[in-house]
Amino acid sequence: MRIGIDLGGTKIEGIALDGSSEAARIRIDTPRDDYDATLAAIVDVVAELERRTTTHATVGVGIPGTLSHTGLVKNANSTWLLGKPLRVDLERRLAREVRIANDANCFVVSEATDGAARDAAVVFGVVVGTGTGAGISVNSEVLTGPNGIAGEWGHNPLPWPEVDETPGPPCYCGKCGCIETFLSGPGMARDHETWTSLREQAPSIVAKATAGDVGALDTMARYEDRMARALAGVINVLDPDVIVLGGGMSNIDRLYDRVPAMWSRYVFAAGVDDVVRTRLVRAAHGDSSGVRGAAWLWRER
Ligand SMILES: [Zn+2]
């Protein structure tokens, strides 16, 4: 049995996986701004999952951030985790080894293991919602890198920018024109407001585009071209077999036809063989990919 924990800013979700099958699941509120209570909550979730399944399980945890080379949490927007030795503290309390990975990395492991990208060797997984997290899986193992940031393409600048896209909107990371400021849900809403003066959230813009609204259709077209450019940059560097989309924006059906139709304009292909073989697919496990991927951190190799 493998237990996965998705430690989110508002919810802690726990799952017990028996092979690929879900044996039990728990969801509780995250004790925000309280590190010790967060540790205790995770221990409680593990204990309850083990009680329900009468097993002793491995434990993997997905976090909104990553562990630095010294084992301290960094890059987390759940700021009460920053600088804390989360793995050491959890291992002591749970009396076992614990594996911890970035939540987008858990997402890509889940989809590469038994999801939309199973059987693909190299997978780029993108979670596009309020932000744009991303991770890389090679043969179903997460690629982390010495800085723990492999895949964090959301804070690269948008490639092949138009004049009106530079310097681009300010990003919380301190730079301007990051991919995240264009492709996140709030990024789409900001762009739509710039062009139409209408304040609407991404789901409403998508619905209006489906109904034929001209302003919303224009916003969608700009969004798709930007996603095509951003992912073409990934294809040029990584050349993945599959790109999996998760998060709220992955529910936009038309992305899966239109973005691959546009990215061949940007992918490096000089003349002869200009068919891009990389596939763009929607996550198979939806919102459960993060917690399933945390459990899969203990996949046998
Ligand atoms: Zn940024």
Side-chain angles (χ1 to χ4, degrees), residues 155 171 173 178:
H155 297 280
C171 183
C173 74
C178 291

Side-chain angles (χ1 to χ4, degrees), residues 95-221:
R96 75 196 81 175
E97 197 186 332
V98 173
R99 292 184 180 167
I100 294 181
N102 170 260
D103 48 13
N105 289 358
C106 292
F107 166 80
V108 74
V109 165
S110 166
E111 291 298 325
T113 300
D114 64 350
R118 63 183 168 279
D119 306 326
V122 179
V123 182
F124 189 71
V126 193
V127 182
V128 200
T130 55
T132 51
I136 297 167
S137 159
V138 179
N139 298 327
S140 299
E141 284 188 40
V142 72
L143 187 72
T144 48
N147 304 296
I149 56 171
E152 289 299 347
W153 119 122
H155 297 280
N156 280 359
L158 182 71
W160 300 281
E162 304 284 344
V163 172
D164 59 25
E165 291 170 338
T166 52
C171 183
Y172 75 89
C173 74
K175 301 199 167 52
C176 285
C178 291
I179 286 169
E180 175 164 318
T181 68
F182 291 101
L183 294 192
S184 63
M188 175 190 273
R190 180 203 46 74
D191 178 67
H192 188 67
E193 185 178 357
T194 300
W195 286 78
T196 65
S197 303
L198 297 172
R199 280 201 165 195
E200 292 178 276
Q201 303 289 304
S204 146
I205 298 166
V206 174
K208 283 175 76 172
T210 305
D213 178 87
V214 174
L217 282 167
D218 286 347
T219 298
M220 286 301 305

